[in-house]
Amino acid sequence: MEQPTDHDVTIFETAWKLFLDEWKPGKQVRLIGVGVSSLGSPTRQLSFWDESTTQEIRLQSIIDETNDRMGKNVLRRGAHNEK
């Protein structure tokens, strides 16, 4: 990855791309693991017009705070299946 991140969607999308690059269609998969370490606030250079990144950071913060207060996975993102 070009920059460190603590953004769950970025981590998922990167792991998914790596999987699709290596997986052979029709071949069974038994177990997939994704590990992360040294999570912290990444250095981000935002432009004045970069609303989507700011909104994503804010959304993830709200999800994390809600789960900390109410319990693990009380609030989570929905899945989007592309065909």
Side-chain angles (χ1 to χ4, degrees):
M1 297 176 69
E2 292 179 20
Q3 293 186 357
T5 186
D6 60 352
H7 189 234
D8 62 338
V9 173
T10 303
I11 294 168
F12 171 79
E13 287 175 352
T14 302
W16 185 248
K17 182 185 179 315
L18 289 170
F19 170 75
L20 292 177
D21 288 348
E22 295 299 319
W23 179 65
K24 307 291 186 263
K27 186 169 182 168
Q28 295 180 350
V29 176
R30 181 173 171 253
L31 177 67
I32 297 175
V34 175
V36 294
S37 63
S38 302
L39 292 177
S41 298
T43 303
R44 289 187 174 104
Q45 179 68 42
L46 302 175
S47 73
F48 290 114
W49 300 276
D50 196 358
E51 282 293 316
S52 63
T53 301
T54 303
Q55 289 175 348
E56 283 291 323
I57 293 167
R58 196 162 158 236
L59 174 62
Q60 188 58 47
S61 177
I62 291 169
I63 291 171
D64 291 342
E65 288 173 17
T66 302
N67 288 335
D68 287 345
R69 280 195 327 246
M70 307 292 283
K72 185 178 178 181
N73 291 327
V74 168
L75 185 63
R76 61 183 176 199
R77 293 174 181 262
H80 177 74
N81 295 327
E82 293 185 24
K83 292 183 179 183

